[in-house]
Amino acid sequence: MRSVPLSEVADISGGWTSPAAAEGDVRLVRTSDIPTGEVDWAEVPYAAKKPNSVGHYLEDGDIVVARTGAGSVGNVAIVRKPPRAVAASYLIRIRVTTDIKAEYLLWFLRTPAGQEQLAQRAVGSVVPNLSSQRLATVVIPLPTPAEQQMIADRIVRAKGYLDLSSSALNRARRLLARAPSSMWRDLVDASQARGEAWVTKELDDIVSVHDRKRVPLNRNERARRPGGTPYFGASGIIDYIDGHTHEGNFLLLSEDGQNLESRRQSIAFQATGRFWANNHVHVLGVIDSVNTAFLAQALNESDLQAFLTGSTQPKLPLNRLRGINVALPDREFQDTIMKSFATTASLIAQAKAAVDSADDKLASGWTAFLAHCFSSSPVTPTAPPQVTEVARNSMNNRRAPGRNTFKSVLAALDQYPQGLTPEELFSSLDRPRSSVDQDVDAFYFELRRLVEYKDVEEVRTDGASLIRRIK
């Protein structure tokens, strides 16, 4: 397989310089519009300044690459059915020639090898920048057009499976995130249905405040004192350092931050032993008749919106915190509830860990799959002469259009579950190309990949080799 610089198979140009506008005639594609690999036209704004040449307009199949920005340089997307649109100045447009398929180039640039080349060509440590000239030197492996299409088709099909798997994991993650609240409500409802006695108390009656001992440390200060003591902020542990500000059994409650409203993370948590608290979390001692973990969970399930101040940055000041009401059963029943809660919470944590592990494996598997698709090892095998002759005769003596037409090898094998010889399978396909030899090469390339990825299997029956679909 030969390799060529990108400049040999594509025209490369910079984007159009214009501010974004809420209304207009021409869309302006930005870096933020391409994170998924395709442009989301519903979110694309308009260009305040129209381009002065039709050459700036995007066409179907164009590829855009982010040229600047920490964390975004090298992001790649393909343009599909664009309205009148241009790429913004911080994007580079690639328009492929007839020697390379746009989908093939897109997926190669998104492989680890492609991303590494883009990263190597970006200059600047603070704000990396990728120029059109440096992008033009990226080296692209260039198999035949038939092989390019097969690689792109296989990746698109695998990406569909990946998206389904990712969606399933995300659904599981959302269900697990809601599980503690659902379990808490069930336990509380069951208790109250049995007529258990609950009393409502203000926090001021059941906690003591220990905020004066809090000491904030910035990242550099924490780096200078490495250790094993948890360092708490508004949403939990954010670091581990040497030393401590508090020791004992305490309830920590967020003092400020958007999480007080969004509740993406817990706002209340128990801290035991030695720990360090910064000035973004209230440190509260809890009286003996109240289970600290129970109180933390009760606050996590409470609507505290009425106690918050601040229009831009939510804050729970100490004077308002004192007036929060909490319903409590007796201490013995609090302990019983938290024992059940802790057991189930441990199972939920294990399930979350399993989901995260599956997600990591999915991501690493996808990266390895992409790398394999573009490795130098997949070389199209040469077809045996006798098979080439059979194929040539088959191509030269096609039946009339009334015969069954097969769009792919897999579709053909679906029609013959008992299997077909390679010669019979090739003869059943309707995939005309510029030459019979090109058809044979493409057929064997596809067949080898299908066997490799266990979509089909080769079996020996009475001395003959049969290809069968694996269901």
Side-chain angles (χ1 to χ4, degrees):
M1 182 190 303
R2 70 189 183 102
S3 298
V4 298
L6 181 59
S7 57
E8 285 193 16
V9 291
D11 296 323
I12 303 170
S13 60
W16 175 246
T17 303
S18 170
E23 297 180 350
D25 299 323
V26 179
R27 299 276 186 171
L28 183 70
V29 180
R30 309 155 300 172
T31 302
S32 57
D33 299 317
I34 66 169
T36 62
E38 291 194 13
V39 179
D40 181 6
W41 294 109
E43 301 296 327
V44 177
Y46 294 91
K49 180 182 175 183
K50 288 186 178 181
N52 53 16
S53 168
V54 294
H56 287 288
Y57 288 109
L58 293 171
E59 296 180 2
D60 187 62
D62 281 350
I63 292 173
V64 289
V65 182
R67 67 183 305 164
T68 188
S72 59
V73 64
N75 282 356
V76 185
I78 193 166
V79 175
R80 289 299 186 200
K81 298 180 180 179
R84 294 184 70 194
V86 293
S89 57
Y90 29 87
L91 294 175
I92 301 173
R93 186 192 68 189
I94 302 173
R95 184 164 292 164
V96 301
T97 66
T98 55
D99 293 327
I100 191 168
K101 304 284 186 181
E103 296 86 352
Y104 172 85
L105 178 59
L106 168 75
W107 288 113
F108 173 74
L109 292 176
R110 297 186 73 184
T111 64
Q115 286 292 297
E116 182 180 4
Q117 289 198 60
L118 295 177
Q120 290 172 345
R121 286 159 175 76
V123 297
S125 57
V126 180
V127 182
N129 182 71
L130 176 67
S131 68
S132 298
Q133 293 77 15
R134 289 191 292 271
L135 177 61
T137 66
V138 169
V139 178
I140 310 296
L142 198 66
T144 67
E147 292 170 350
Q148 292 177 38
Q149 190 62 57
M150 291 174 194
I151 290 171
D153 289 346
R154 177 167 291 280
I155 292 173
V156 169
R157 184 173 68 175
K159 182 64 165 57
Y161 296 139
L162 176 75
D163 290 342
L164 286 174
S165 299
S166 296
S167 295
L169 289 175
N170 287 334
R171 285 195 301 273
R173 195 173 279 114
R174 289 193 296 271
L175 288 171
L176 289 170
R178 293 195 296 266
S181 292
S182 299
M183 179 176 59
W184 177 263
R185 287 194 299 269
D186 289 343
L187 289 170
V188 171
D189 291 345
S191 167
Q192 294 177 342
R194 291 194 300 268
E196 301 282 352
W198 288 60
V199 295
T200 300
K201 293 189 176 182
E202 288 188 345
L203 276 188
D204 195 36
D205 295 329
I206 57 176
V207 301
S208 56
V209 179
H210 299 261
D211 286 359
R212 291 186 179 224
K213 295 182 179 180
R214 301 178 303 176
V215 179
L217 298 176
N218 61 36
R219 182 176 299 176
N220 291 333
E221 290 171 328
R222 298 197 303 271
R224 289 195 292 268
R225 51 189 312 157
T229 302
Y231 177 87
F232 282 92
S235 298
I237 299 173
I238 57 178
D239 208 343
Y240 288 87
I241 62 174
D242 181 49
H244 66 281
T245 57
H246 299 78
E247 182 177 7
N249 179 37
F250 291 90
L251 169 71
L252 305 187
L253 181 59
S254 300
E255 180 173 351
D256 52 31
Q258 292 296 330
N259 190 54
L260 281 167
E261 291 185 340
S262 67
R263 299 296 186 93
R264 294 184 183 275
Q265 297 173 283
S266 297
I267 63 167
F269 24 88
Q270 184 180 20
T272 59
R274 292 181 175 182
F275 63 93
W276 193 298
N278 70 15
N279 59 333
H280 296 289
V281 60
H282 293 296
V283 182
L284 308 174
V286 182
I287 63 175
D288 291 340
S289 61
V290 176
N291 182 305
T292 305
F294 181 94
L295 181 57
Q297 189 60 34
L299 289 169
N300 282 323
E301 299 301 325
S302 299
D303 181 3
L304 304 183
Q305 189 67 40
F307 299 91
L308 303 182
T309 63
S311 56
T312 57
Q313 175 80 335
K315 184 178 178 67
L316 180 59
L318 191 57
N319 63 326
R320 294 206 173 193
L321 176 154
R322 295 178 186 276
I324 295 173
N325 291 319
V326 181
L328 302 167
D330 61 58
R331 174 60 193 254
E332 183 180 356
F333 194 67
Q334 292 176 41
D335 295 342
T336 300
I337 287 180
M338 292 316 298
K339 184 176 181 180
S340 298
F341 190 83
T343 300
T344 309
S346 176
L347 296 176
I348 293 173
Q350 293 176 36
K352 286 181 177 179
V355 170
D356 290 341
S357 176
D359 208 13
D360 291 341
K361 290 178 180 179
L362 202 60
S364 60
W366 174 248
T367 299
F369 170 76
L370 283 181
H372 180 77
C373 285
F374 291 92
S375 67
S376 58
S377 57
V379 178
T380 304
T382 302
Q386 67 273 20
V387 176
T388 304
E389 187 61 31
V390 170
R392 182 176 288 107
N393 292 335
S394 172
M395 292 291 290
N396 291 335
N397 298 285
R398 287 192 179 276
R399 299 180 186 177
R403 61 171 297 200
N404 291 331
T405 299
F406 301 101
K407 295 182 179 180
S408 70
V409 171
L410 295 179
L413 291 174
D414 283 340
Q415 299 293 319
Y416 295 96
Q418 75 278 11
L420 295 171
T421 66
E423 295 89 342
E424 291 170 339
L425 180 56
F426 183 91
S427 299
S428 71
L429 303 178
D430 186 14
R431 45 193 309 169
R433 299 181 186 275
S434 58
S435 71
V436 173
D437 289 335
Q438 185 179 0
D439 248 49
V440 172
D441 287 345
F443 168 74
Y444 272 89
F445 181 89
E446 173 71 355
L447 191 58
R448 190 185 69 81
R449 284 196 176 266
L450 290 173
V451 171
E452 184 178 359
Y453 290 103
K454 302 187 184 306
D455 288 319
V456 304
E457 61 181 350
E458 184 179 12
V459 296
R460 303 289 297 182
T461 303
D462 297 329
S465 178
L466 293 179
I467 307 300
R468 290 199 300 221
R469 178 78 182 269
I470 297 177
K471 294 290 189 177

